[in-house]
mmCIF file with all atom_site columns, all heavy atoms in Angstrom:
data_model
loop_
_atom_site.group_PDB
_atom_site.id
_atom_site.type_symbol
_atom_site.label_atom_id
_atom_site.label_alt_id
_atom_site.label_comp_id
_atom_site.label_asym_id
_atom_site.label_entity_id
_atom_site.label_seq_id
_atom_site.pdbx_PDB_ins_code
_atom_site.Cartn_x
_atom_site.Cartn_y
_atom_site.Cartn_z
_atom_site.occupancy
_atom_site.B_iso_or_equiv
_atom_site.pdbx_formal_charge
_atom_site.auth_seq_id
_atom_site.auth_comp_id
_atom_site.auth_asym_id
_atom_site.auth_atom_id
_atom_site.pdbx_PDB_model_num
ATOM 1   N N   . VAL P 1 369 ? -43.875 -14.249 -0.489  1.00 96.00 ? 369 VAL P N   1
ATOM 2   C CA  . VAL P 1 369 ? -44.246 -14.180 -1.899  1.00 96.00 ? 369 VAL P CA  1
ATOM 3   C C   . VAL P 1 369 ? -43.483 -15.234 -2.701  1.00 96.00 ? 369 VAL P C   1
ATOM 4   O O   . VAL P 1 369 ? -44.042 -15.885 -3.592  1.00 96.00 ? 369 VAL P O   1
ATOM 5   C CB  . VAL P 1 369 ? -44.006 -12.764 -2.453  1.00 96.00 ? 369 VAL P CB  1
ATOM 6   C CG1 . VAL P 1 369 ? -44.176 -12.727 -3.965  1.00 96.00 ? 369 VAL P CG1 1
ATOM 7   C CG2 . VAL P 1 369 ? -44.956 -11.769 -1.785  1.00 96.00 ? 369 VAL P CG2 1
ATOM 8   N N   . ALA P 1 370 ? -42.211 -15.420 -2.388  1.00 94.00 ? 370 ALA P N   1
ATOM 9   C CA  . ALA P 1 370 ? -41.423 -16.429 -3.097  1.00 94.00 ? 370 ALA P CA  1
ATOM 10  C C   . ALA P 1 370 ? -41.987 -17.828 -2.873  1.00 94.00 ? 370 ALA P C   1
ATOM 11  O O   . ALA P 1 370 ? -42.102 -18.626 -3.801  1.00 94.00 ? 370 ALA P O   1
ATOM 12  C CB  . ALA P 1 370 ? -39.967 -16.370 -2.633  1.00 94.00 ? 370 ALA P CB  1
ATOM 13  N N   . ARG P 1 371 ? -42.322 -18.132 -1.638  1.00 92.00 ? 371 ARG P N   1
ATOM 14  C CA  . ARG P 1 371 ? -42.844 -19.465 -1.320  1.00 92.00 ? 371 ARG P CA  1
ATOM 15  C C   . ARG P 1 371 ? -44.175 -19.732 -2.011  1.00 92.00 ? 371 ARG P C   1
ATOM 16  O O   . ARG P 1 371 ? -44.427 -20.839 -2.516  1.00 92.00 ? 371 ARG P O   1
ATOM 17  C CB  . ARG P 1 371 ? -43.012 -19.608 0.197   1.00 92.00 ? 371 ARG P CB  1
ATOM 18  C CG  . ARG P 1 371 ? -43.366 -21.023 0.644   1.00 92.00 ? 371 ARG P CG  1
ATOM 19  C CD  . ARG P 1 371 ? -43.548 -21.096 2.141   1.00 92.00 ? 371 ARG P CD  1
ATOM 20  N NE  . ARG P 1 371 ? -44.740 -20.374 2.575   1.00 92.00 ? 371 ARG P NE  1
ATOM 21  C CZ  . ARG P 1 371 ? -44.815 -19.610 3.664   1.00 92.00 ? 371 ARG P CZ  1
ATOM 22  N NH1 . ARG P 1 371 ? -43.736 -19.429 4.408   1.00 92.00 ? 371 ARG P NH1 1
ATOM 23  N NH2 . ARG P 1 371 ? -45.936 -19.017 3.993   1.00 92.00 ? 371 ARG P NH2 1
ATOM 24  N N   . GLU P 1 372 ? -45.039 -18.717 -2.064  1.00 94.00 ? 372 GLU P N   1
ATOM 25  C CA  . GLU P 1 372 ? -46.386 -18.920 -2.599  1.00 94.00 ? 372 GLU P CA  1
ATOM 26  C C   . GLU P 1 372 ? -46.465 -18.778 -4.117  1.00 94.00 ? 372 GLU P C   1
ATOM 27  O O   . GLU P 1 372 ? -47.315 -19.402 -4.753  1.00 94.00 ? 372 GLU P O   1
ATOM 28  C CB  . GLU P 1 372 ? -47.350 -17.928 -1.938  1.00 94.00 ? 372 GLU P CB  1
ATOM 29  C CG  . GLU P 1 372 ? -47.532 -18.137 -0.446  1.00 94.00 ? 372 GLU P CG  1
ATOM 30  C CD  . GLU P 1 372 ? -48.142 -19.488 -0.133  1.00 94.00 ? 372 GLU P CD  1
ATOM 31  O OE1 . GLU P 1 372 ? -49.031 -19.944 -0.891  1.00 94.00 ? 372 GLU P OE1 1
ATOM 32  O OE2 . GLU P 1 372 ? -47.743 -20.104 0.885   1.00 94.00 ? 372 GLU P OE2 1
ATOM 33  N N   . THR P 1 373 ? -45.607 -17.953 -4.707  1.00 96.00 ? 373 THR P N   1
ATOM 34  C CA  . THR P 1 373 ? -45.724 -17.677 -6.145  1.00 96.00 ? 373 THR P CA  1
ATOM 35  C C   . THR P 1 373 ? -44.486 -18.062 -6.947  1.00 96.00 ? 373 THR P C   1
ATOM 36  O O   . THR P 1 373 ? -44.565 -18.137 -8.175  1.00 96.00 ? 373 THR P O   1
ATOM 37  C CB  . THR P 1 373 ? -45.987 -16.174 -6.384  1.00 96.00 ? 373 THR P CB  1
ATOM 38  O OG1 . THR P 1 373 ? -44.798 -15.433 -6.079  1.00 96.00 ? 373 THR P OG1 1
ATOM 39  C CG2 . THR P 1 373 ? -47.145 -15.671 -5.531  1.00 96.00 ? 373 THR P CG2 1
ATOM 40  N N   . GLY P 1 374 ? -43.353 -18.241 -6.291  1.00 95.00 ? 374 GLY P N   1
ATOM 41  C CA  . GLY P 1 374 ? -42.116 -18.510 -7.013  1.00 95.00 ? 374 GLY P CA  1
ATOM 42  C C   . GLY P 1 374 ? -41.476 -17.269 -7.602  1.00 95.00 ? 374 GLY P C   1
ATOM 43  O O   . GLY P 1 374 ? -40.485 -17.373 -8.335  1.00 95.00 ? 374 GLY P O   1
ATOM 44  N N   . ILE P 1 375 ? -41.985 -16.082 -7.293  1.00 97.00 ? 375 ILE P N   1
ATOM 45  C CA  . ILE P 1 375 ? -41.420 -14.822 -7.759  1.00 97.00 ? 375 ILE P CA  1
ATOM 46  C C   . ILE P 1 375 ? -40.519 -14.269 -6.656  1.00 97.00 ? 375 ILE P C   1
ATOM 47  O O   . ILE P 1 375 ? -40.985 -13.998 -5.547  1.00 97.00 ? 375 ILE P O   1
ATOM 48  C CB  . ILE P 1 375 ? -42.519 -13.816 -8.124  1.00 97.00 ? 375 ILE P CB  1
ATOM 49  C CG1 . ILE P 1 375 ? -43.398 -14.381 -9.248  1.00 97.00 ? 375 ILE P CG1 1
ATOM 50  C CG2 . ILE P 1 375 ? -41.920 -12.477 -8.526  1.00 97.00 ? 375 ILE P CG2 1
ATOM 51  C CD1 . ILE P 1 375 ? -44.634 -13.551 -9.553  1.00 97.00 ? 375 ILE P CD1 1
ATOM 52  N N   . VAL P 1 376 ? -39.248 -14.115 -6.958  1.00 95.00 ? 376 VAL P N   1
ATOM 53  C CA  . VAL P 1 376 ? -38.255 -13.786 -5.930  1.00 95.00 ? 376 VAL P CA  1
ATOM 54  C C   . VAL P 1 376 ? -37.582 -12.451 -6.248  1.00 95.00 ? 376 VAL P C   1
ATOM 55  O O   . VAL P 1 376 ? -37.132 -12.221 -7.374  1.00 95.00 ? 376 VAL P O   1
ATOM 56  C CB  . VAL P 1 376 ? -37.183 -14.889 -5.831  1.00 95.00 ? 376 VAL P CB  1
ATOM 57  C CG1 . VAL P 1 376 ? -36.200 -14.585 -4.702  1.00 95.00 ? 376 VAL P CG1 1
ATOM 58  C CG2 . VAL P 1 376 ? -37.832 -16.246 -5.624  1.00 95.00 ? 376 VAL P CG2 1
ATOM 59  N N   . GLY P 1 377 ? -37.531 -11.582 -5.236  1.00 96.00 ? 377 GLY P N   1
ATOM 60  C CA  . GLY P 1 377 ? -36.832 -10.304 -5.365  1.00 96.00 ? 377 GLY P CA  1
ATOM 61  C C   . GLY P 1 377 ? -35.743 -10.190 -4.321  1.00 96.00 ? 377 GLY P C   1
ATOM 62  O O   . GLY P 1 377 ? -35.272 -11.185 -3.766  1.00 96.00 ? 377 GLY P O   1
ATOM 63  N N   . VAL P 1 378 ? -35.343 -8.952  -4.047  1.00 94.00 ? 378 VAL P N   1
ATOM 64  C CA  . VAL P 1 378 ? -34.364 -8.660  -2.996  1.00 94.00 ? 378 VAL P CA  1
ATOM 65  C C   . VAL P 1 378 ? -34.995 -7.657  -2.044  1.00 94.00 ? 378 VAL P C   1
ATOM 66  O O   . VAL P 1 378 ? -35.516 -6.627  -2.470  1.00 94.00 ? 378 VAL P O   1
ATOM 67  C CB  . VAL P 1 378 ? -33.055 -8.074  -3.571  1.00 94.00 ? 378 VAL P CB  1
ATOM 68  C CG1 . VAL P 1 378 ? -32.081 -7.736  -2.437  1.00 94.00 ? 378 VAL P CG1 1
ATOM 69  C CG2 . VAL P 1 378 ? -32.406 -9.048  -4.529  1.00 94.00 ? 378 VAL P CG2 1
ATOM 70  N N   . HIS P 1 379 ? -34.948 -7.962  -0.761  1.00 94.00 ? 379 HIS P N   1
ATOM 71  C CA  . HIS P 1 379 ? -35.557 -7.110  0.252   1.00 94.00 ? 379 HIS P CA  1
ATOM 72  C C   . HIS P 1 379 ? -34.560 -6.081  0.769   1.00 94.00 ? 379 HIS P C   1
ATOM 73  O O   . HIS P 1 379 ? -33.371 -6.350  0.901   1.00 94.00 ? 379 HIS P O   1
ATOM 74  C CB  . HIS P 1 379 ? -36.087 -7.956  1.414   1.00 94.00 ? 379 HIS P CB  1
ATOM 75  C CG  . HIS P 1 379 ? -35.033 -8.833  2.029   1.00 94.00 ? 379 HIS P CG  1
ATOM 76  N ND1 . HIS P 1 379 ? -34.631 -10.023 1.459   1.00 94.00 ? 379 HIS P ND1 1
ATOM 77  C CD2 . HIS P 1 379 ? -34.296 -8.678  3.156   1.00 94.00 ? 379 HIS P CD2 1
ATOM 78  C CE1 . HIS P 1 379 ? -33.690 -10.571 2.215   1.00 94.00 ? 379 HIS P CE1 1
ATOM 79  N NE2 . HIS P 1 379 ? -33.455 -9.778  3.236   1.00 94.00 ? 379 HIS P NE2 1
ATOM 80  N N   . PHE P 1 380 ? -35.060 -4.886  1.061   1.00 93.00 ? 380 PHE P N   1
ATOM 81  C CA  . PHE P 1 380 ? -34.258 -3.810  1.640   1.00 93.00 ? 380 PHE P CA  1
ATOM 82  C C   . PHE P 1 380 ? -35.076 -3.112  2.720   1.00 93.00 ? 380 PHE P C   1
ATOM 83  O O   . PHE P 1 380 ? -36.311 -3.076  2.655   1.00 93.00 ? 380 PHE P O   1
ATOM 84  C CB  . PHE P 1 380 ? -33.871 -2.774  0.577   1.00 93.00 ? 380 PHE P CB  1
ATOM 85  C CG  . PHE P 1 380 ? -32.819 -3.238  -0.385  1.00 93.00 ? 380 PHE P CG  1
ATOM 86  C CD1 . PHE P 1 380 ? -33.173 -3.910  -1.554  1.00 93.00 ? 380 PHE P CD1 1
ATOM 87  C CD2 . PHE P 1 380 ? -31.480 -2.998  -0.140  1.00 93.00 ? 380 PHE P CD2 1
ATOM 88  C CE1 . PHE P 1 380 ? -32.201 -4.337  -2.451  1.00 93.00 ? 380 PHE P CE1 1
ATOM 89  C CE2 . PHE P 1 380 ? -30.501 -3.424  -1.036  1.00 93.00 ? 380 PHE P CE2 1
ATOM 90  C CZ  . PHE P 1 380 ? -30.861 -4.089  -2.180  1.00 93.00 ? 380 PHE P CZ  1
ATOM 91  N N   . ASP P 1 381 ? -34.375 -2.559  3.683   1.00 91.00 ? 381 ASP P N   1
ATOM 92  C CA  . ASP P 1 381 ? -35.015 -1.746  4.718   1.00 91.00 ? 381 ASP P CA  1
ATOM 93  C C   . ASP P 1 381 ? -34.519 -0.321  4.567   1.00 91.00 ? 381 ASP P C   1
ATOM 94  O O   . ASP P 1 381 ? -33.317 -0.066  4.591   1.00 91.00 ? 381 ASP P O   1
ATOM 95  C CB  . ASP P 1 381 ? -34.703 -2.298  6.113   1.00 91.00 ? 381 ASP P CB  1
ATOM 96  C CG  . ASP P 1 381 ? -35.297 -3.687  6.289   1.00 91.00 ? 381 ASP P CG  1
ATOM 97  O OD1 . ASP P 1 381 ? -36.532 -3.796  6.226   1.00 91.00 ? 381 ASP P OD1 1
ATOM 98  O OD2 . ASP P 1 381 ? -34.536 -4.650  6.475   1.00 91.00 ? 381 ASP P OD2 1
ATOM 99  N N   . GLY P 1 382 ? -35.460 0.617   4.418   1.00 87.00 ? 382 GLY P N   1
ATOM 100 C CA  . GLY P 1 382 ? -35.095 1.960   4.015   1.00 87.00 ? 382 GLY P CA  1
ATOM 101 C C   . GLY P 1 382 ? -35.151 3.015   5.088   1.00 87.00 ? 382 GLY P C   1
ATOM 102 O O   . GLY P 1 382 ? -35.069 4.200   4.768   1.00 87.00 ? 382 GLY P O   1
ATOM 103 N N   . ALA P 1 383 ? -35.278 2.638   6.370   1.00 84.00 ? 383 ALA P N   1
ATOM 104 C CA  . ALA P 1 383 ? -35.348 3.632   7.441   1.00 84.00 ? 383 ALA P CA  1
ATOM 105 C C   . ALA P 1 383 ? -34.182 3.450   8.394   1.00 84.00 ? 383 ALA P C   1
ATOM 106 O O   . ALA P 1 383 ? -33.809 2.322   8.717   1.00 84.00 ? 383 ALA P O   1
ATOM 107 C CB  . ALA P 1 383 ? -36.670 3.497   8.195   1.00 84.00 ? 383 ALA P CB  1
ATOM 108 N N   . PRO P 1 384 ? -33.591 4.545   8.876   1.00 78.00 ? 384 PRO P N   1
ATOM 109 C CA  . PRO P 1 384 ? -32.509 4.432   9.858   1.00 78.00 ? 384 PRO P CA  1
ATOM 110 C C   . PRO P 1 384 ? -33.026 3.858   11.173  1.00 78.00 ? 384 PRO P C   1
ATOM 111 O O   . PRO P 1 384 ? -34.229 3.889   11.444  1.00 78.00 ? 384 PRO P O   1
ATOM 112 C CB  . PRO P 1 384 ? -32.035 5.884   10.046  1.00 78.00 ? 384 PRO P CB  1
ATOM 113 C CG  . PRO P 1 384 ? -32.620 6.655   8.918   1.00 78.00 ? 384 PRO P CG  1
ATOM 114 C CD  . PRO P 1 384 ? -33.868 5.944   8.518   1.00 78.00 ? 384 PRO P CD  1
ATOM 115 N N   . PRO P 1 385 ? -32.126 3.331   12.008  1.00 75.00 ? 385 PRO P N   1
ATOM 116 C CA  . PRO P 1 385 ? -32.535 2.855   13.327  1.00 75.00 ? 385 PRO P CA  1
ATOM 117 C C   . PRO P 1 385 ? -33.246 3.958   14.098  1.00 75.00 ? 385 PRO P C   1
ATOM 118 O O   . PRO P 1 385 ? -32.846 5.121   14.079  1.00 75.00 ? 385 PRO P O   1
ATOM 119 C CB  . PRO P 1 385 ? -31.199 2.486   13.995  1.00 75.00 ? 385 PRO P CB  1
ATOM 120 C CG  . PRO P 1 385 ? -30.271 2.195   12.855  1.00 75.00 ? 385 PRO P CG  1
ATOM 121 C CD  . PRO P 1 385 ? -30.685 3.120   11.750  1.00 75.00 ? 385 PRO P CD  1
ATOM 122 N N   . GLY P 1 386 ? -34.336 3.573   14.772  1.00 76.00 ? 386 GLY P N   1
ATOM 123 C CA  . GLY P 1 386 ? -35.097 4.542   15.546  1.00 76.00 ? 386 GLY P CA  1
ATOM 124 C C   . GLY P 1 386 ? -36.286 5.130   14.822  1.00 76.00 ? 386 GLY P C   1
ATOM 125 O O   . GLY P 1 386 ? -37.151 5.743   15.442  1.00 76.00 ? 386 GLY P O   1
ATOM 126 N N   . GLU P 1 387 ? -36.347 4.962   13.481  1.00 80.00 ? 387 GLU P N   1
ATOM 127 C CA  . GLU P 1 387 ? -37.500 5.438   12.718  1.00 80.00 ? 387 GLU P CA  1
ATOM 128 C C   . GLU P 1 387 ? -38.449 4.288   12.429  1.00 80.00 ? 387 GLU P C   1
ATOM 129 O O   . GLU P 1 387 ? -38.083 3.110   12.545  1.00 80.00 ? 387 GLU P O   1
ATOM 130 C CB  . GLU P 1 387 ? -37.047 6.079   11.399  1.00 80.00 ? 387 GLU P CB  1
ATOM 131 C CG  . GLU P 1 387 ? -36.340 7.393   11.550  1.00 80.00 ? 387 GLU P CG  1
ATOM 132 C CD  . GLU P 1 387 ? -36.179 8.122   10.217  1.00 80.00 ? 387 GLU P CD  1
ATOM 133 O OE1 . GLU P 1 387 ? -36.769 7.655   9.214   1.00 80.00 ? 387 GLU P OE1 1
ATOM 134 O OE2 . GLU P 1 387 ? -35.479 9.143   10.191  1.00 80.00 ? 387 GLU P OE2 1
ATOM 135 N N   . LEU P 1 388 ? -39.667 4.628   12.046  1.00 83.00 ? 388 LEU P N   1
ATOM 136 C CA  . LEU P 1 388 ? -40.614 3.595   11.648  1.00 83.00 ? 388 LEU P CA  1
ATOM 137 C C   . LEU P 1 388 ? -40.071 2.835   10.446  1.00 83.00 ? 388 LEU P C   1
ATOM 138 O O   . LEU P 1 388 ? -39.414 3.420   9.576   1.00 83.00 ? 388 LEU P O   1
ATOM 139 C CB  . LEU P 1 388 ? -41.967 4.216   11.297  1.00 83.00 ? 388 LEU P CB  1
ATOM 140 C CG  . LEU P 1 388 ? -42.762 4.825   12.458  1.00 83.00 ? 388 LEU P CG  1
ATOM 141 C CD1 . LEU P 1 388 ? -44.015 5.512   11.929  1.00 83.00 ? 388 LEU P CD1 1
ATOM 142 C CD2 . LEU P 1 388 ? -43.132 3.752   13.488  1.00 83.00 ? 388 LEU P CD2 1
ATOM 143 N N   . PRO P 1 389 ? -40.326 1.523   10.368  1.00 85.00 ? 389 PRO P N   1
ATOM 144 C CA  . PRO P 1 389 ? -39.784 0.736   9.249   1.00 85.00 ? 389 PRO P CA  1
ATOM 145 C C   . PRO P 1 389 ? -40.243 1.278   7.898   1.00 85.00 ? 389 PRO P C   1
ATOM 146 O O   . PRO P 1 389 ? -41.356 1.803   7.767   1.00 85.00 ? 389 PRO P O   1
ATOM 147 C CB  . PRO P 1 389 ? -40.353 -0.670  9.500   1.00 85.00 ? 389 PRO P CB  1
ATOM 148 C CG  . PRO P 1 389 ? -40.679 -0.703  10.944  1.00 85.00 ? 389 PRO P CG  1
ATOM 149 C CD  . PRO P 1 389 ? -41.087 0.692   11.310  1.00 85.00 ? 389 PRO P CD  1
ATOM 150 N N   . GLN P 1 390 ? -39.383 1.169   6.918   1.00 94.00 ? 390 GLN P N   1
ATOM 151 C CA  . GLN P 1 390 ? -39.705 1.514   5.537   1.00 94.00 ? 390 GLN P CA  1
ATOM 152 C C   . GLN P 1 390 ? -39.303 0.320   4.677   1.00 94.00 ? 390 GLN P C   1
ATOM 153 O O   . GLN P 1 390 ? -38.305 0.340   3.972   1.00 94.00 ? 390 GLN P O   1
ATOM 154 C CB  . GLN P 1 390 ? -38.939 2.768   5.111   1.00 94.00 ? 390 GLN P CB  1
ATOM 155 C CG  . GLN P 1 390 ? -39.239 3.241   3.687   1.00 94.00 ? 390 GLN P CG  1
ATOM 156 C CD  . GLN P 1 390 ? -38.425 4.459   3.320   1.00 94.00 ? 390 GLN P CD  1
ATOM 157 O OE1 . GLN P 1 390 ? -38.685 5.546   3.790   1.00 94.00 ? 390 GLN P OE1 1
ATOM 158 N NE2 . GLN P 1 390 ? -37.406 4.288   2.479   1.00 94.00 ? 390 GLN P NE2 1
ATOM 159 N N   . PRO P 1 391 ? -40.095 -0.758  4.729   1.00 96.00 ? 391 PRO P N   1
ATOM 160 C CA  . PRO P 1 391 ? -39.713 -1.985  4.010   1.00 96.00 ? 391 PRO P CA  1
ATOM 161 C C   . PRO P 1 391 ? -39.906 -1.837  2.508   1.00 96.00 ? 391 PRO P C   1
ATOM 162 O O   . PRO P 1 391 ? -40.918 -1.293  2.042   1.00 96.00 ? 391 PRO P O   1
ATOM 163 C CB  . PRO P 1 391 ? -40.655 -3.033  4.588   1.00 96.00 ? 391 PRO P CB  1
ATOM 164 C CG  . PRO P 1 391 ? -41.861 -2.260  5.037   1.00 96.00 ? 391 PRO P CG  1
ATOM 165 C CD  . PRO P 1 391 ? -41.341 -0.923  5.488   1.00 96.00 ? 391 PRO P CD  1
ATOM 166 N N   . LEU P 1 392 ? -38.922 -2.341  1.755   1.00 97.00 ? 392 LEU P N   1
ATOM 167 C CA  . LEU P 1 392 ? -38.908 -2.213  0.305   1.00 97.00 ? 392 LEU P CA  1
ATOM 168 C C   . LEU P 1 392 ? -38.548 -3.546  -0.332  1.00 97.00 ? 392 LEU P C   1
ATOM 169 O O   . LEU P 1 392 ? -37.878 -4.380  0.282   1.00 97.00 ? 392 LEU P O   1
ATOM 170 C CB  . LEU P 1 392 ? -37.883 -1.159  -0.125  1.00 97.00 ? 392 LEU P CB  1
ATOM 171 C CG  . LEU P 1 392 ? -38.075 0.253   0.441   1.00 97.00 ? 392 LEU P CG  1
ATOM 172 C CD1 . LEU P 1 392 ? -36.809 1.077   0.275   1.00 97.00 ? 392 LEU P CD1 1
ATOM 173 C CD2 . LEU P 1 392 ? -39.254 0.944   -0.234  1.00 97.00 ? 392 LEU P CD2 1
ATOM 174 N N   . ILE P 1 393 ? -38.994 -3.733  -1.571  1.00 97.00 ? 393 ILE P N   1
ATOM 175 C CA  . ILE P 1 393 ? -38.642 -4.928  -2.331  1.00 97.00 ? 393 ILE P CA  1
ATOM 176 C C   . ILE P 1 393 ? -38.162 -4.490  -3.714  1.00 97.00 ? 393 ILE P C   1
ATOM 177 O O   . ILE P 1 393 ? -38.796 -3.646  -4.363  1.00 97.00 ? 393 ILE P O   1
ATOM 178 C CB  . ILE P 1 393 ? -39.847 -5.905  -2.438  1.00 97.00 ? 393 ILE P CB  1
ATOM 179 C CG1 . ILE P 1 393 ? -39.413 -7.210  -3.100  1.00 97.00 ? 393 ILE P CG1 1
ATOM 180 C CG2 . ILE P 1 393 ? -41.024 -5.272  -3.132  1.00 97.00 ? 393 ILE P CG2 1
ATOM 181 C CD1 . ILE P 1 393 ? -38.642 -8.130  -2.210  1.00 97.00 ? 393 ILE P CD1 1
ATOM 182 N N   . ARG P 1 394 ? -37.023 -5.044  -4.125  1.00 97.00 ? 394 ARG P N   1
ATOM 183 C CA  . ARG P 1 394 ? -36.460 -4.726  -5.437  1.00 97.00 ? 394 ARG P CA  1
ATOM 184 C C   . ARG P 1 394 ? -36.685 -5.899  -6.372  1.00 97.00 ? 394 ARG P C   1
ATOM 185 O O   . ARG P 1 394 ? -36.302 -7.022  -6.066  1.00 97.00 ? 394 ARG P O   1
ATOM 186 C CB  . ARG P 1 394 ? -34.960 -4.456  -5.305  1.00 97.00 ? 394 ARG P CB  1
ATOM 187 C CG  . ARG P 1 394 ? -34.303 -3.906  -6.563  1.00 97.00 ? 394 ARG P CG  1
ATOM 188 C CD  . ARG P 1 394 ? -32.783 -3.992  -6.474  1.00 97.00 ? 394 ARG P CD  1
ATOM 189 N NE  . ARG P 1 394 ? -32.305 -5.340  -6.795  1.00 97.00 ? 394 ARG P NE  1
ATOM 190 C CZ  . ARG P 1 394 ? -31.021 -5.719  -6.750  1.00 97.00 ? 394 ARG P CZ  1
ATOM 191 N NH1 . ARG P 1 394 ? -30.100 -4.868  -6.369  1.00 97.00 ? 394 ARG P NH1 1
ATOM 192 N NH2 . ARG P 1 394 ? -30.683 -6.955  -7.071  1.00 97.00 ? 394 ARG P NH2 1
ATOM 193 N N   . TYR P 1 395 ? -37.307 -5.624  -7.522  1.00 98.00 ? 395 TYR P N   1
ATOM 194 C CA  . TYR P 1 395 ? -37.470 -6.628  -8.573  1.00 98.00 ? 395 TYR P CA  1
ATOM 195 C C   . TYR P 1 395 ? -36.688 -6.168  -9.803  1.00 98.00 ? 395 TYR P C   1
ATOM 196 O O   . TYR P 1 395 ? -36.896 -5.066  -10.304 1.00 98.00 ? 395 TYR P O   1
ATOM 197 C CB  . TYR P 1 395 ? -38.943 -6.824  -8.923  1.00 98.00 ? 395 TYR P CB  1
ATOM 198 C CG  . TYR P 1 395 ? -39.745 -7.512  -7.841  1.00 98.00 ? 395 TYR P CG  1
ATOM 199 C CD1 . TYR P 1 395 ? -40.864 -6.903  -7.278  1.00 98.00 ? 395 TYR P CD1 1
ATOM 200 C CD2 . TYR P 1 395 ? -39.387 -8.778  -7.391  1.00 98.00 ? 395 TYR P CD2 1
ATOM 201 C CE1 . TYR P 1 395 ? -41.606 -7.546  -6.288  1.00 98.00 ? 395 TYR P CE1 1
ATOM 202 C CE2 . TYR P 1 395 ? -40.124 -9.420  -6.398  1.00 98.00 ? 395 TYR P CE2 1
ATOM 203 C CZ  . TYR P 1 395 ? -41.227 -8.801  -5.851  1.00 98.00 ? 395 TYR P CZ  1
ATOM 204 O OH  . TYR P 1 395 ? -41.955 -9.435  -4.862  1.00 98.00 ? 395 TYR P OH  1
#
Side-chain angles (χ1 to χ4, degrees):
V369 171
R371 188 181 69 221
E372 295 297 322
T373 71
I375 300 172
V376 183
V378 178
H379 56 281
F380 287 89
D381 296 297
E387 290 192 8
L388 291 175
Q390 182 181 287
L392 302 164
I393 186 77
R394 189 194 81 183
Y395 290 122

